[in-house]
Amino acid sequence: MTINCRGKLIDLSRPKVMGILNTTPDSFYDGGKYKNDQAILQQVEKMLKEGATFIDIGAYSSKPGAAFVSEEEEINRLLPIIDLIVNRFPEILVSVDTFRSVVAEAAVLHGASIINDIAAGFLDHNMLPTVAKLQVPYIMMHMKGTPETMQSLAFYEDIFKEMMCYFSERIAIARSYGINDVLIDPGFGFAKTLEHNYQLMQHLDYFLHLNLPILIGVSRKSMLYKLLETTPEHALNGTTVLNTIGLQKGASILRVHDVKEAVECITILEELKKIT
């Protein structure tokens, strides 16, 4: 269970943490929080010191009903930040959260190491051949529709059967283009009801049959704060609980806002594995 990030092999047999750096003003949790170079660098340094292996940068909010952002604006938001953090932290492994091949290519040319695509290539048919050309790991997420429409499409006859068909097809196409390192993300909150999200978490290990690393992103999402009748700001404890369950069911990467707490989950569970 290794992935090749710019010649550096990352072993996922011990789960890793991906820290989230949002550069959008309308992200559901920390939108607009990191407005200048100093704030960005301080947050990245904090996440790296706390144990993040990857830093995931998004410049287009994918929350339900998110506003449209042009390719030009997404690139203009994204590239200066990649340049900033790669120059300060040369060994950093940057993941770019985008569904656009033009943005993906520009990001990799500026130093990004991974493409994290919420649409698995469905929203840009050039994405898969572009990732193959760039030879970077590719995270494909399950979603229906677009960020603007996905919540109206949260219906399934058999969610697990449909998702396995979805991933099997997208993985086969990715392999046909020559993408070597593929990871899957079930897409918690993307075209999923509250019940769907908890069904997926309860049976996350079902997706281990795909023999690929699983990334989960539940950090401070509505599946937590709506169930717990709280807010994203008060959903850290719930996030930690779900991350722990996700790890027990086979997750290899936790995508989170709060790196320290996620690393602690991994440390505790890895210690328990030593006990026979």
Short mmCIF file of all heavy atoms in Angstrom, two decimals, residues 21 23 35-38 40-41 44 57 59 71-88 94 96 103 106-107 110-111:
data_model
loop_
_atom_site.label_atom_id
_atom_site.label_comp_id
_atom_site.label_asym_id
_atom_site.label_seq_id
_atom_site.Cartn_x
_atom_site.Cartn_y
_atom_site.Cartn_z
N LEU A 21 -6.36 22.90 3.71
CA LEU A 21 -6.11 24.33 3.65
C LEU A 21 -7.07 24.91 2.62
O LEU A 21 -6.86 24.78 1.41
CB LEU A 21 -4.67 24.62 3.24
CG LEU A 21 -4.29 26.10 3.19
CD1 LEU A 21 -4.24 26.70 4.59
CD2 LEU A 21 -2.96 26.31 2.47
N THR A 23 -8.76 27.82 0.50
CA THR A 23 -8.45 29.17 0.02
C THR A 23 -9.70 29.83 -0.56
O THR A 23 -9.61 30.81 -1.27
CB THR A 23 -7.35 29.13 -1.05
OG1 THR A 23 -7.84 28.42 -2.21
CG2 THR A 23 -6.11 28.44 -0.52
N LYS A 35 -6.17 34.62 5.01
CA LYS A 35 -6.29 35.69 4.02
C LYS A 35 -4.96 36.26 3.56
O LYS A 35 -4.92 37.01 2.59
CB LYS A 35 -7.15 36.83 4.59
CG LYS A 35 -8.59 36.43 4.84
CD LYS A 35 -9.39 37.60 5.40
CE LYS A 35 -10.84 37.21 5.63
NZ LYS A 35 -11.63 38.34 6.19
N ASN A 36 -3.87 35.95 4.24
CA ASN A 36 -2.59 36.52 3.83
C ASN A 36 -1.50 35.46 3.95
O ASN A 36 -1.70 34.39 4.52
CB ASN A 36 -2.24 37.74 4.69
CG ASN A 36 -2.23 37.44 6.18
OD1 ASN A 36 -1.48 36.57 6.64
ND2 ASN A 36 -3.06 38.13 6.95
N ASP A 37 -0.32 35.78 3.41
CA ASP A 37 0.77 34.81 3.35
C ASP A 37 1.16 34.32 4.74
O ASP A 37 1.41 33.12 4.93
CB ASP A 37 1.99 35.43 2.66
CG ASP A 37 1.77 35.66 1.18
OD1 ASP A 37 0.67 35.33 0.68
OD2 ASP A 37 2.70 36.16 0.51
N GLN A 38 1.23 35.21 5.68
CA GLN A 38 1.65 34.82 7.03
C GLN A 38 0.68 33.82 7.65
O GLN A 38 1.10 32.82 8.24
CB GLN A 38 1.77 36.06 7.93
CG GLN A 38 2.26 35.73 9.34
CD GLN A 38 2.38 36.95 10.23
OE1 GLN A 38 2.05 38.06 9.82
NE2 GLN A 38 2.85 36.75 11.46
N ILE A 40 -1.36 31.81 6.11
CA ILE A 40 -1.28 30.55 5.37
C ILE A 40 -0.07 29.74 5.82
O ILE A 40 -0.17 28.55 6.13
CB ILE A 40 -1.22 30.83 3.85
CG1 ILE A 40 -2.57 31.35 3.37
CG2 ILE A 40 -0.83 29.57 3.08
CD1 ILE A 40 -2.54 31.95 1.98
N LEU A 41 1.09 30.40 5.87
CA LEU A 41 2.32 29.70 6.24
C LEU A 41 2.26 29.19 7.68
O LEU A 41 2.74 28.09 7.99
CB LEU A 41 3.52 30.61 6.04
CG LEU A 41 3.89 30.90 4.58
CD1 LEU A 41 4.98 31.95 4.50
CD2 LEU A 41 4.33 29.63 3.86
N VAL A 44 0.00 26.06 7.68
CA VAL A 44 0.68 24.91 7.07
C VAL A 44 1.77 24.38 7.98
O VAL A 44 1.89 23.16 8.18
CB VAL A 44 1.26 25.30 5.69
CG1 VAL A 44 2.16 24.18 5.15
CG2 VAL A 44 0.14 25.59 4.70
N ILE A 57 -5.12 21.47 -0.77
CA ILE A 57 -5.50 22.86 -1.03
C ILE A 57 -6.69 22.88 -2.00
O ILE A 57 -6.63 22.29 -3.08
CB ILE A 57 -4.34 23.66 -1.63
CG1 ILE A 57 -3.10 23.55 -0.75
CG2 ILE A 57 -4.74 25.12 -1.81
CD1 ILE A 57 -1.89 24.26 -1.33
N ALA A 59 -9.53 25.51 -3.98
CA ALA A 59 -9.82 26.89 -4.36
C ALA A 59 -11.22 27.02 -4.95
O ALA A 59 -11.55 28.03 -5.56
CB ALA A 59 -8.78 27.40 -5.34
N GLU A 71 -12.53 28.80 -14.14
CA GLU A 71 -11.20 28.18 -14.13
C GLU A 71 -10.13 29.22 -13.83
O GLU A 71 -9.20 28.96 -13.07
CB GLU A 71 -10.92 27.54 -15.50
CG GLU A 71 -11.61 26.23 -15.73
CD GLU A 71 -11.18 25.58 -17.03
OE1 GLU A 71 -10.36 26.18 -17.77
OE2 GLU A 71 -11.67 24.47 -17.32
N GLU A 72 -10.27 30.39 -14.44
CA GLU A 72 -9.28 31.45 -14.25
C GLU A 72 -9.20 31.86 -12.78
O GLU A 72 -8.10 32.01 -12.22
CB GLU A 72 -9.63 32.67 -15.11
CG GLU A 72 -8.62 33.79 -14.99
CD GLU A 72 -8.99 34.99 -15.87
OE1 GLU A 72 -10.14 35.05 -16.35
OE2 GLU A 72 -8.12 35.87 -16.05
N GLU A 73 -10.36 32.02 -12.13
CA GLU A 73 -10.35 32.43 -10.73
C GLU A 73 -9.79 31.32 -9.85
O GLU A 73 -9.03 31.59 -8.91
CB GLU A 73 -11.76 32.80 -10.27
CG GLU A 73 -11.80 33.32 -8.83
CD GLU A 73 -13.17 33.80 -8.40
OE1 GLU A 73 -14.10 33.81 -9.24
OE2 GLU A 73 -13.30 34.15 -7.22
N GLU A 74 -10.14 30.08 -10.15
CA GLU A 74 -9.61 28.96 -9.36
C GLU A 74 -8.08 28.91 -9.45
O GLU A 74 -7.39 28.75 -8.44
CB GLU A 74 -10.21 27.64 -9.85
CG GLU A 74 -9.84 26.45 -8.98
CD GLU A 74 -10.48 25.15 -9.44
OE1 GLU A 74 -11.23 25.15 -10.43
OE2 GLU A 74 -10.19 24.11 -8.79
N ILE A 75 -7.55 29.07 -10.65
CA ILE A 75 -6.10 29.06 -10.85
C ILE A 75 -5.46 30.24 -10.14
O ILE A 75 -4.41 30.11 -9.48
CB ILE A 75 -5.77 29.07 -12.35
CG1 ILE A 75 -6.08 27.69 -12.95
CG2 ILE A 75 -4.30 29.42 -12.59
CD1 ILE A 75 -5.97 27.63 -14.46
N ASN A 76 -6.07 31.41 -10.26
CA ASN A 76 -5.51 32.61 -9.62
C ASN A 76 -5.51 32.52 -8.10
O ASN A 76 -4.65 33.10 -7.43
CB ASN A 76 -6.27 33.85 -10.07
CG ASN A 76 -6.00 34.22 -11.51
OD1 ASN A 76 -4.98 33.81 -12.08
ND2 ASN A 76 -6.89 34.98 -12.12
N ARG A 77 -6.47 31.82 -7.54
CA ARG A 77 -6.50 31.60 -6.09
C ARG A 77 -5.43 30.58 -5.67
O ARG A 77 -4.80 30.72 -4.63
CB ARG A 77 -7.87 31.06 -5.66
CG ARG A 77 -9.02 32.04 -5.67
CD ARG A 77 -10.29 31.30 -5.26
NE ARG A 77 -11.47 32.16 -5.20
CZ ARG A 77 -12.69 31.72 -4.90
NH1 ARG A 77 -12.87 30.43 -4.63
NH2 ARG A 77 -13.71 32.55 -4.86
N LEU A 78 -5.27 29.57 -6.50
CA LEU A 78 -4.51 28.39 -6.12
C LEU A 78 -3.00 28.52 -6.28
O LEU A 78 -2.23 28.22 -5.36
CB LEU A 78 -5.02 27.20 -6.94
CG LEU A 78 -4.56 25.81 -6.58
CD1 LEU A 78 -5.01 25.44 -5.17
CD2 LEU A 78 -5.13 24.81 -7.60
N LEU A 79 -2.56 28.93 -7.47
CA LEU A 79 -1.13 28.87 -7.78
C LEU A 79 -0.24 29.70 -6.87
O LEU A 79 0.83 29.22 -6.45
CB LEU A 79 -0.89 29.23 -9.25
CG LEU A 79 -1.53 28.30 -10.29
CD1 LEU A 79 -1.02 28.63 -11.68
CD2 LEU A 79 -1.27 26.83 -9.96
N PRO A 80 -0.64 30.93 -6.52
CA PRO A 80 0.24 31.69 -5.61
C PRO A 80 0.43 31.00 -4.25
O PRO A 80 1.50 31.09 -3.65
CB PRO A 80 -0.50 33.03 -5.44
CG PRO A 80 -1.35 33.15 -6.66
CD PRO A 80 -1.78 31.74 -6.98
N ILE A 81 -0.59 30.28 -3.80
CA ILE A 81 -0.48 29.60 -2.51
C ILE A 81 0.40 28.36 -2.62
O ILE A 81 1.22 28.09 -1.73
CB ILE A 81 -1.88 29.25 -1.98
CG1 ILE A 81 -2.62 30.55 -1.66
CG2 ILE A 81 -1.79 28.36 -0.75
CD1 ILE A 81 -4.04 30.37 -1.25
N ILE A 82 0.27 27.62 -3.72
CA ILE A 82 1.18 26.49 -3.93
C ILE A 82 2.62 26.98 -3.98
O ILE A 82 3.51 26.42 -3.33
CB ILE A 82 0.83 25.72 -5.23
CG1 ILE A 82 -0.57 25.09 -5.11
CG2 ILE A 82 1.88 24.64 -5.50
CD1 ILE A 82 -1.03 24.40 -6.36
N ASP A 83 2.86 28.05 -4.76
CA ASP A 83 4.22 28.60 -4.84
C ASP A 83 4.72 29.01 -3.47
O ASP A 83 5.88 28.73 -3.10
CB ASP A 83 4.23 29.83 -5.77
CG ASP A 83 4.01 29.47 -7.23
OD1 ASP A 83 4.24 28.30 -7.59
OD2 ASP A 83 3.61 30.37 -8.00
N LEU A 84 3.88 29.64 -2.70
CA LEU A 84 4.25 30.14 -1.38
C LEU A 84 4.69 29.00 -0.46
O LEU A 84 5.76 29.05 0.16
CB LEU A 84 3.07 30.88 -0.75
CG LEU A 84 3.24 31.41 0.68
CD1 LEU A 84 4.22 32.57 0.70
CD2 LEU A 84 1.89 31.82 1.26
N ILE A 85 3.87 27.96 -0.38
CA ILE A 85 4.17 26.90 0.60
C ILE A 85 5.26 25.95 0.10
O ILE A 85 6.04 25.42 0.90
CB ILE A 85 2.90 26.15 1.05
CG1 ILE A 85 2.27 25.35 -0.08
CG2 ILE A 85 1.89 27.11 1.64
CD1 ILE A 85 1.10 24.50 0.37
N VAL A 86 5.35 25.73 -1.21
CA VAL A 86 6.41 24.88 -1.73
C VAL A 86 7.77 25.55 -1.56
O VAL A 86 8.78 24.90 -1.26
CB VAL A 86 6.14 24.52 -3.21
CG1 VAL A 86 7.37 23.87 -3.85
CG2 VAL A 86 4.95 23.57 -3.31
N ASN A 87 7.80 26.87 -1.75
CA ASN A 87 9.06 27.60 -1.54
C ASN A 87 9.49 27.56 -0.08
O ASN A 87 10.68 27.47 0.22
CB ASN A 87 8.92 29.04 -2.01
CG ASN A 87 8.91 29.16 -3.52
OD1 ASN A 87 9.45 28.31 -4.22
ND2 ASN A 87 8.29 30.20 -4.04
N ARG A 88 8.54 27.64 0.85
CA ARG A 88 8.88 27.63 2.27
C ARG A 88 9.16 26.21 2.77
O ARG A 88 10.02 26.01 3.63
CB ARG A 88 7.73 28.26 3.07
CG ARG A 88 7.93 28.22 4.59
CD ARG A 88 9.13 29.03 5.06
NE ARG A 88 8.94 30.44 4.83
CZ ARG A 88 8.36 31.27 5.69
NH1 ARG A 88 7.93 30.82 6.87
NH2 ARG A 88 8.23 32.55 5.39
N VAL A 94 1.83 18.33 -1.61
CA VAL A 94 0.61 19.10 -1.79
C VAL A 94 -0.39 18.30 -2.62
O VAL A 94 -0.07 17.83 -3.71
CB VAL A 94 0.90 20.45 -2.49
CG1 VAL A 94 -0.39 21.18 -2.83
CG2 VAL A 94 1.79 21.32 -1.61
N VAL A 96 -4.09 18.73 -4.50
CA VAL A 96 -4.93 19.80 -5.01
C VAL A 96 -6.34 19.28 -5.24
O VAL A 96 -6.55 18.31 -5.97
CB VAL A 96 -4.36 20.41 -6.30
CG1 VAL A 96 -5.35 21.38 -6.93
CG2 VAL A 96 -3.05 21.13 -6.00
N VAL A 103 -6.65 23.10 -14.27
CA VAL A 103 -6.20 23.49 -12.94
C VAL A 103 -5.23 22.44 -12.40
O VAL A 103 -4.18 22.78 -11.82
CB VAL A 103 -7.39 23.67 -11.99
CG1 VAL A 103 -6.92 24.02 -10.58
CG2 VAL A 103 -8.35 24.74 -12.52
N ALA A 106 -1.78 22.79 -14.11
CA ALA A 106 -1.07 23.98 -13.64
C ALA A 106 -0.54 23.77 -12.23
O ALA A 106 0.59 24.16 -11.91
CB ALA A 106 -2.00 25.19 -13.69
N ALA A 107 -1.34 23.14 -11.39
CA ALA A 107 -0.94 22.92 -10.00
C ALA A 107 0.27 22.00 -9.91
O ALA A 107 1.21 22.27 -9.15
CB ALA A 107 -2.11 22.34 -9.22
N HIS A 110 3.44 23.58 -10.77
CA HIS A 110 3.90 24.49 -9.72
C HIS A 110 4.32 23.75 -8.45
O HIS A 110 4.65 24.40 -7.46
CB HIS A 110 2.82 25.53 -9.40
CG HIS A 110 2.79 26.66 -10.38
ND1 HIS A 110 3.20 27.93 -10.07
CD2 HIS A 110 2.43 26.69 -11.69
CE1 HIS A 110 3.07 28.72 -11.13
NE2 HIS A 110 2.60 27.98 -12.12
N GLY A 111 4.28 22.42 -8.47
CA GLY A 111 4.82 21.67 -7.34
C GLY A 111 3.86 20.77 -6.60
O GLY A 111 4.26 20.12 -5.61
#
